[in-house]
Amino acid sequence: MSKIIMIFASMSGNTEEMADFIAGGITESGVEIEKIDIMDSPEASLLKDYDGILLGAYTWGDGDLPDDFLDFYDEMDDVDLTGKKAAVFGSGDSYYTHYCAAVDILNEKLRDRGADIVLEGLKVELTPEDEDIKKCQEFGKEFIQRSFVTSI
């Protein structure tokens, strides 16, 4: 069985809500997921132990990763993610010039480390509303479909 990990950063709770809904879509597909808040200080090296990787972060200021994600982000430089399936999600505020830039930054890092990005990054404006909740659940299901389900 495939091992999936989700690591996320959330300040206001918006990205954490997204993480919960995405994880719900994944478990609905019959797959277990380990979900870790970046505040619990995971080490990037643990990504090597998983087949699927989901990263989630809100965007800080005008297009930056949150400070609590920076150490993990830097540690990823030492981790080979070749063959790992990955996707990124996050919340942001379109008031700023670089809407949800943290999603793009994390996508690029995963790609640079060799991961196979299986879904376009999911971006949600502030708090997930009804339609966003459905998108998050579908994101989780589609991650499993594109990563681990083979058609016959």
Side-chain angles (χ1 to χ4, degrees):
M1 171 156 280
S2 301
K3 289 178 62 177
I4 315 278
I5 188 166
M6 175 188 290
I7 299 176
F8 69 94
S10 188
M11 181 171 61
S12 62
N14 296 336
T15 305
E16 184 171 11
E17 281 187 49
M18 290 180 72
D20 290 341
F21 295 127
I22 291 168
I26 288 171
T27 56
E28 202 174 299
S29 297
V31 179
E32 291 184 27
I33 181 169
E34 183 173 354
K35 200 169 73 167
I36 301 174
D37 188 320
I38 198 74
M39 295 300 287
D40 292 335
S41 303
E43 293 185 14
S45 61
L46 69 88
L47 297 176
K48 295 183 298 191
D49 299 332
Y50 293 85
D51 307 303
I53 300 165
L54 290 134
L55 300 180
Y58 62 94
T59 298
W60 180 249
D62 194 25
D64 298 317
L65 272 178
D67 286 347
D68 39 356
F69 224 109
L70 293 177
D71 288 342
F72 187 89
Y73 178 84
D74 289 340
E75 288 174 15
M76 287 176 68
D77 287 336
D78 299 325
V79 183
D80 180 7
L81 299 177
T82 302
K84 307 293 183 180
K85 305 300 182 184
V88 181
F89 63 93
S91 60
D93 187 341
S94 61
Y95 168 82
Y96 293 100
T97 306
H98 304 288
Y99 174 65
C100 284
V103 171
D104 302 326
I105 292 167
L106 290 171
N107 254 333
E108 188 62 31
K109 177 65 87 172
L110 286 165
R111 191 175 281 110
D112 288 348
R113 301 310 312 140
D116 178 16
I117 307 299
V118 298
L119 290 171
E120 181 178 332
L122 178 61
K123 300 177 180 182
V124 168
E125 174 82 15
L126 302 172
T127 304
E129 301 293 332
D130 291 342
E131 188 172 313
D132 301 317
I133 292 169
K134 290 177 188 168
K135 286 180 184 176
C136 289
Q137 292 166 333
E138 288 303 313
F139 188 82
K141 291 176 188 174
E142 196 169 342
F143 179 77
I144 297 304
Q145 283 288 352
R146 291 191 182 198
S147 301
F148 307 109
V149 176
T150 57
S151 55
I152 298 173

